[in-house]
């Protein structure tokens, strides 16, 4: 009997005496152990000097998914401190290369069409929600044309009409909402902000007909549609699970509602003078001479409302939570309006917004600390050489841009964790010098939907950069400024315990938002 057999013989005898379940359990533990050892050895022994460093992880496939998912910004900051601006981590089995800082944002967001693709990543999630033939369910050149059509309706004359619509929605919402009965109370503010965002966006962007349907059940359908945006759907989008069935039904129903409205408008001659976004899309023609079909108009309308909903509602919730933590700023905002617009606070106009710099800076500063999109992903289509390094990112990787990292970097923003809207005043001791200089001399580029700044030097990109840059930026700014200005006219806020604490962030969905309940104490001014 060999030495090895002397040891293994009794062991294998004992193993064969165990129940089948115990044997299976031991086998699984063995396989996991071996895969952990192989995985660790691979990381130590087979480092590829031509690829970015890989974040150390014990388990294959799981990799760093859990640490990343719990708090992406913290993960980025910690890994950057360990590995530098560019590193790779395993996200659900996929090698994901993160490149932070302005150079990284530029590398990923301004990547060439032949090198990077957004649609390869996002279509599984967005196509069932928006519908076929739009956004990521079509070639990029078609998306660029669609963005151009959508942008046409987001111009100054349209904005001048939107301001009173949004302002009236805010006033009537708080007058009717049962959460705000009486003179003071406590409210879980993100829920109210989500409702207010969809009412104001649907009314201004999509007109009275669509807005009125929100009082008649379309809100519940949009909620079902929204369930399609859960992160597990990156993998389970096709599985006939109850939430996916509800998503598909809601998509069909909402698209039909829009198509009925389009038909009615066409029957009436589509000439009621409203010239809203639906009107613009109904009259748009692709470069190849094809008129935009009705189902594409409907799907673009869904995409527009959905694209803005999460970002704007989460931002407005953060604004209210920040104001509750800093009642001094709420009062400064109120005084700003009285001084700029008059004691009687007349109905708000588009032109008034430019007279309220603090009100504008509230949005800027809130987006700096609470950008709703913490990670932007791209598939790599051809090997990409990282300028100034020896690294080449292969097509087996995906790229991840996290613009929030530079927006909270002390190199660009002194006291980066402090929410201080006045930092955006040029003479502030904590002013972000680089952002303002960069904005002045920024390079502009046209990807097919009008000139946009490349943002290549800017550490502050809450609306992204490149061909997929947000087209809703001006609308979102307008909507958030009007909502903030109107709420400040109506309420004083403070934290329930009187502290200046701010609640943590919920990263469980695709968009970061406040953890709920996020209660604040409200008190009505004189109304
Ligand atoms: C794209 C942020 C509001 C429509 C984006 C992107 C970001 C962003 C970061 C780039 C995504 C990428 O590169 O993959 C925000 C923020 C908002 C906001 C922070 C509010 C505070 C809106 C609104 C609308 C809108 C209100 C519509 C009216 C779009 C569209 C795209 C986009 C159509 C283009 C997607 C593409 O080309 O791939 N947004 N957004 N967004 N956003 Fe927004």
């Amino acid at each position: 009997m060999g030495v090895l057999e002397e040891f293994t013989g009794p062991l294998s005898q004992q193993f064969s005496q165990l129940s089948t379940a115990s044997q299976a359990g031991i086998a699984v533990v063995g396989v996991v152990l071996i895969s952990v050892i192989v995985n660790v050895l691979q990381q130590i022994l087979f480092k590829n000097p031509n690829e970015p460093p890989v974040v150390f992880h014990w388990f294959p496939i799981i990799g760093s998914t859990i640490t990343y998912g719990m708090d992406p910004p913290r993960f980025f900051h910690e890994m950057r401190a360990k590995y530098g601006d560019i590193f790779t981590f395993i996200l659900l089995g996929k090698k994901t290369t993160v490149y932070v800082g302005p150079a990284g944002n530029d590398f990923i967001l301004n990547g060439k069409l032949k090198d990077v693709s957004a649609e390869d990543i996002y279509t599984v999630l967005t196509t069932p929600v928006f519908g076929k033939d739009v956004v990521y369910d079509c070639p990029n050149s078609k998306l660029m044309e669609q963005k151009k059509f959508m942008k046409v309706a987001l111009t100054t004359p349209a904005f001048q009409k939107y301001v009173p619509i949004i302002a009236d929605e805010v006033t009537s919402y708080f007058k009717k909402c049962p959460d705000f009965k009486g003179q003071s109370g406590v409210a879980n503010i993100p829920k109210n902000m989500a409702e207010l965002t969809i009412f104001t966006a649907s009314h201004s962007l999509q007109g009275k007909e669509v807005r009125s349907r929100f009082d008649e059940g379309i809100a519940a359908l949009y909620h079902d549609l929204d369930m399609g945006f859960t992160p597990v759907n990156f993998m389970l989008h096709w599985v006939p699970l109850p939430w996916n069935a509800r998503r598909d039904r809601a998509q069909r129903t909402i698209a039909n509602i829009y198509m009925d409205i389009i038909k009615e408008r066409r029957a009436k001659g589509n000439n009621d003078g409203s010239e809203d976004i639906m009107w613009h899309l109904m009259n748009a023609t692709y470069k190849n001479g094809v008129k935009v079909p009705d189902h594409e108009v409907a799907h673009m309308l869904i995409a527009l409302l959905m694209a803005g909903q999460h970002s704007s509602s989460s931002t407005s919730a953060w604004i209210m939570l920040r104001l509750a933590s800093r009642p001094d700023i709420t009062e400064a905002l109120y005084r700003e309006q009285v001084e700029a617009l008059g004691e009687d606070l007349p109905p708000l106009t588009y032109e008034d917004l430019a007279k309220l710099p603090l009100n504008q800076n509230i949005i800027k500063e809130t987006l700096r600390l609470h950008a709703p999109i913490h990670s932007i992903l791209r598939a790599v289509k051809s090997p990409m050489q990282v300028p100034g390094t020896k690294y080449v990112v292969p097509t087996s990787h995906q790229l991840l841009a996290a613009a929030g990292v530079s927006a909270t970097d002390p190199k660009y923003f002194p006291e980066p964790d402090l929410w201080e809207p006045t930092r955006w005043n040029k003479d502030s001791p904590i002013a972000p010098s680089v952002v303002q200089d960069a904005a002045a001399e920024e390079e502009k580029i046209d990807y097919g939907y009008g000139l946009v700044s490349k943002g290549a030097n800017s550490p502050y990109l809450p609306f992204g950069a490149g061909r997929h840059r947000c087209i809703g930026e001006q609308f979102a700014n307008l909507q958030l400024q009007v909502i903030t200005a109107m709420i400040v006219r109506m309420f004083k806020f403070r934290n329930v315990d009187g502290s200046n604490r701010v609640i943590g962030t919920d990263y469980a969905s695709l968009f970061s938002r406040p953890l709920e309940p996020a209660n604040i104490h409200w008190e009505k001014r004189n109304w």
Side-chain angles (χ1 to χ4, degrees):
M1 206 193 272
V3 180
L4 193 64
E5 272 175 70
E6 258 179 58
F7 283 104
T8 54
L11 268 181
S12 69
Q13 252 177 21
Q14 281 173 4
F15 185 76
S16 61
Q17 283 162 8
L18 293 173
S19 69
T20 320
S22 309
Q23 285 182 359
I26 291 173
V28 169
V29 171
V31 170
V32 171
L33 215 62
I34 291 168
S35 63
V36 166
I37 293 167
V38 172
N39 181 45
V40 169
L41 286 177
Q42 255 177 356
Q43 291 174 68
I44 297 170
L45 301 177
F46 301 110
K47 283 188 183 148
N48 183 342
N50 295 321
E51 286 182 12
V54 177
V55 172
F56 180 79
H57 54 284
W58 290 102
F59 298 97
I61 302 176
I62 297 174
S64 311
T65 308
I66 295 170
T67 26
Y68 161 75
M70 276 162 44
D71 189 337
R74 188 186 330 149
F75 176 77
F76 298 139
H77 281 289
E78 286 178 3
M79 294 310 121
R80 181 194 186 196
K82 227 171 174 171
Y83 298 99
D85 281 356
I86 180 162
F87 54 87
T88 297
F89 75 101
I90 307 299
L91 175 62
L92 293 170
K94 184 84 186 166
K95 285 186 179 162
T96 304
T97 296
V98 182
Y99 188 2
V100 298
N105 297 334
D106 187 34
F107 179 71
I108 300 173
L109 302 178
N110 287 308
K112 293 200 175 73
L113 199 54
K114 72 168 184 44
D115 293 334
V116 292
S117 160
E119 54 272 29
D120 282 10
I121 303 266
Y122 295 125
T123 187
V124 291
L125 220 64
T126 53
T127 303
V129 172
F130 301 160
K132 306 267 327 144
D133 300 326
V134 301
V135 189
Y136 303 128
D137 189 48
C138 60
N140 185 269
S141 55
K142 186 166 173 181
L143 168 61
M144 294 303 110
E145 284 198 69
Q146 292 177 343
K147 284 177 82 167
K148 195 168 157 186
F149 301 148
M150 300 193 243
K151 233 179 123 179
V152 171
L154 302 172
T155 53
T156 304
F159 291 159
Q160 285 166 331
K161 286 188 195 159
Y162 295 167
V163 172
I165 293 176
I166 297 171
D168 288 350
E169 281 286 349
V170 178
T171 320
S172 69
Y173 177 82
F174 286 108
K175 286 194 171 150
K176 282 192 223 145
C177 180
D179 299 341
F180 295 87
K181 285 256 171 308
Q183 275 316 108
S184 65
V186 171
N188 174 26
I189 204 73
K191 170 188 157 280
N192 304 105
M193 288 299 134
E195 288 170 356
L196 199 51
T197 307
I198 203 127
F199 293 157
T200 50
S202 61
H203 194 166
S204 53
L205 291 176
Q206 307 195 337
K208 278 197 296 283
E209 303 115 302
V210 177
R211 169 64 184 92
S212 64
R213 309 271 177 123
F214 273 90
D215 296 329
E216 301 155 10
I218 201 177
L221 287 172
Y222 261 107
H223 179 263
D224 285 348
L225 204 52
D226 209 27
M227 298 310 285
F229 275 155
T230 147
V232 303
N233 264 15
F234 269 120
M235 288 181 313
L236 304 184
H237 52 96
W238 54 274
V239 181
L241 292 160
W243 72 79
N244 284 344
R246 283 201 296 275
R247 170 201 65 189
D248 295 344
R249 200 175 44 241
Q251 198 285 330
R252 282 192 301 274
T253 315
I254 297 175
N256 284 334
I257 292 174
Y258 286 134
M259 282 196 281
D260 288 346
I261 298 174
I262 294 170
K263 272 198 208 93
E264 273 167 39
R265 283 190 177 196
R266 288 208 197 280
K268 278 195 249 158
N270 186 26
N271 204 13
D272 69 350
S274 58
E275 298 201 6
D276 54 21
I277 209 153
M278 189 185 278
W279 183 91
H280 281 284
L281 295 176
M282 284 168 64
N283 291 292
T285 306
Y286 288 113
K287 275 191 209 137
N288 63 5
V290 173
K291 286 202 78 88
V292 176
D294 287 359
H295 78 276
E296 289 188 16
V297 175
H299 296 171
M300 273 191 261
L301 289 171
I302 296 178
L304 266 180
L305 212 58
M306 297 293 287
Q309 176 61 22
H310 290 279
S311 316
S312 297
S313 87
S314 135
T315 308
S316 62
W318 283 118
I319 291 173
M320 300 312 143
L321 291 165
R322 286 290 180 177
L323 290 182
S325 77
R326 290 283 304 272
D328 60 315
I329 300 274
T330 317
E331 283 321 289
L333 281 170
Y334 185 75
R335 278 198 314 276
E336 179 179 71
Q337 287 198 56
V338 169
E339 278 159 29
L341 311 177
E343 199 76 47
D344 57 335
L345 293 177
L348 202 62
T349 66
Y350 176 70
E351 286 69 25
D352 290 341
L353 297 176
K355 300 176 197 158
L356 306 173
L358 181 60
N359 199 56
Q360 290 172 5
N361 290 341
I362 295 285
I363 322 295
K364 261 189 163 167
E365 180 68 345
T366 304
L367 281 172
R368 187 181 68 78
L369 284 183
H370 302 290
I373 302 181
H374 54 72
S375 304
I376 295 180
L377 288 166
R378 297 286 184 263
V380 180
K381 305 296 284 178
S382 48
M384 290 171 73
Q385 161 75 49
V386 183
T389 74
K390 56 186 187 316
Y391 301 140
V392 176
V393 184
T395 53
S396 54
H397 289 209
Q398 59 186 3
L399 284 167
L400 190 156
V405 173
S406 46
T408 49
D409 187 337
K411 187 167 147 198
Y412 307 110
F413 296 93
E415 298 194 49
D417 300 330
L418 185 70
W419 182 81
E420 186 47 74
T422 57
R423 76 163 69 237
W424 295 91
N425 298 337
K426 277 206 173 72
D427 52 1
S428 162
I430 55 168
S433 55
V434 182
V435 181
Q436 284 170 352
D437 295 348
E441 52 194 62
E442 241 175 345
E443 193 185 332
K444 303 249 187 219
I445 188 161
D446 188 350
Y447 288 103
Y449 61 95
L451 275 180
V452 288
S453 57
K454 266 188 97 174
N457 303 318
S458 178
Y460 177 78
L461 296 173
F463 294 96
R467 63 181 60 248
H468 292 286
R469 194 184 197 290
C470 187
I471 50 152
E473 174 176 359
Q474 284 80 5
F475 175 78
N477 271 322
L478 173 114
Q479 184 187 26
L480 291 166
Q481 284 175 45
V482 176
I483 289 177
T484 306
M486 293 309 292
I487 287 183
V488 161
R489 288 181 180 197
M490 300 179 85
F491 292 102
K492 291 178 182 181
F493 291 145
R494 64 169 167 78
N495 272 339
V496 177
D497 62 4
S499 72
N500 56 6
R501 186 184 57 82
V502 172
I503 202 148
T505 306
D506 179 354
Y507 296 107
S509 86
L510 287 179
F511 300 83
S512 32
R513 57 183 184 210
L515 281 164
E516 289 190 46
N519 290 329
I520 60 173
H521 181 274
W522 53 266
E523 186 190 334
K524 286 182 184 167
R525 292 187 195 267
N526 304 317
W527 57 281

